[in-house]
Amino acid sequence: MDISVLCTSALFRGFSQSEAEELLELLSARERRFKKGSLILSAGDTTSRIGFVNSGSVTVESNDMWGSRTILDLIGRGHFFAETYAVLSGEPLLVDVCANEDCRIVFLDLRRMERLPDSLRARLLEALLLMTARKNLHLSGRSSHTAPRQVRGRIMAYLNTVSVQEQSRVFDIPFDRQQLADYLNVDRSVLSHELSKMQSEGLIKFRKNHFEI
């Protein structure tokens, strides 16, 4: 297991490598490989393990019984998922976590936190709280992206957020066209049509997932 990426993550930042190695051992860290499209966690499951994307990326999705899919988030290398459910280990997941591409996931069992020395546990809990707060802030942004009733409004809200985060009018988005449609909760063909209209009107320029506004 390559822990170099973990050591620079939001949860482990500030810990020395030796402390990170101790944490991984005490939290029963296990790495698993998943093929693109594989289901990593399923709605209805419970988990005490937080997932870390060591390579590749995963999507957090809401999939209903009628076949509708909504992408709530795309989580890339160096980031965690399922931290809220791992803390509330008896709470059933309301979402699926799927491999967006071939990936390696490190799972850490938060039930084992009681085994940590007091100093390490306090620092880890503080890091976990900050990480969860940032994640909640990030996810709350999606509500502003899907709030507009018109497709154009949703596109503009999303692209504006990415532009602000990247501090640039030129940027790449992490979604392909179908994923962006699922994230904004719109039909793909309608999305593509609206993007083309916006480009012809000079509001944006784009090629695949590269945008300029």
Side-chain angles (χ1 to χ4, degrees):
M1 182 190 307
D2 179 9
I3 70 167
S4 59
V5 182
L6 259 169
C7 287
T8 60
S9 68
L11 187 61
F12 281 69
R13 194 173 298 128
F15 290 97
S16 68
Q17 181 162 330
S18 61
E19 288 173 330
E21 290 172 349
E22 182 179 3
L23 285 169
L24 290 174
E25 181 179 354
L26 292 174
L27 295 175
S28 301
R30 296 291 183 272
E31 183 177 81
R32 290 187 59 191
R33 296 176 181 266
F34 294 89
K35 292 290 187 182
K36 180 179 180 179
S38 299
L39 191 61
I40 299 171
L41 293 173
S42 178
D45 291 345
T46 60
T47 184
S48 63
R49 293 181 177 271
I50 184 173
F52 176 78
V53 183
N54 208 21
S55 70
S57 59
V58 305
T59 53
V60 179
E61 307 177 0
S62 174
N63 295 291
D64 65 29
M65 291 183 289
W66 296 272
S68 297
R69 178 177 82 153
T70 301
I71 293 180
L72 304 176
D73 201 7
L74 188 149
I75 300 170
R77 182 173 184 258
H79 296 279
F80 286 89
F81 61 88
E83 58 270 24
T84 300
Y85 291 105
V87 172
L88 304 172
S89 57
E91 189 72 20
L93 274 76
L94 299 177
V95 295
D96 296 324
V97 181
C98 302
N100 184 55
E101 55 189 308
D102 291 352
C103 57
R104 291 184 293 124
I105 307 297
V106 178
F107 292 98
L108 309 173
D109 193 345
L110 294 190
R111 290 177 303 182
R112 306 284 184 169
M113 287 185 65
E114 62 187 28
R115 301 165 58 186
L116 301 180
D118 289 345
S119 60
L120 285 181
R121 183 167 63 249
R123 290 164 61 194
L124 189 68
L125 283 170
E126 182 181 3
L128 183 62
L129 176 61
L130 289 173
M131 187 180 71
T132 303
R134 291 192 187 100
K135 177 67 71 66
N136 289 339
L137 183 62
H138 168 72
L139 291 177
S140 68
R142 183 179 180 275
S143 62
S144 68
H145 303 152
T146 57
R149 299 181 65 180
Q150 302 299 321
V151 174
R152 178 171 295 198
R154 297 186 182 194
I155 295 170
M156 294 176 72
Y158 173 68
L159 295 180
N160 181 73
T161 294
V162 179
S163 177
V164 171
Q165 291 172 338
E166 297 295 326
Q167 297 184 338
S168 174
R169 289 179 175 268
V170 182
F171 50 83
D172 293 334
I173 67 172
F175 299 122
D176 62 27
R177 200 66 74 239
Q178 183 60 60
Q179 290 172 332
L180 181 58
D182 291 337
Y183 177 79
L184 296 177
N185 202 20
V186 299
D187 182 80
R188 176 178 176 173
S189 61
V190 175
L191 171 68
S192 296
H193 178 69
E194 193 61 43
L195 285 171
S196 296
K197 283 179 62 179
M198 291 173 69
Q199 181 158 251
S200 67
E201 293 171 17
L203 295 174
I204 61 173
K205 295 180 181 178
F206 69 90
R207 179 175 174 80
K208 295 185 177 180
N209 69 331
H210 184 75
F211 283 80
E212 179 179 352
I213 60 176

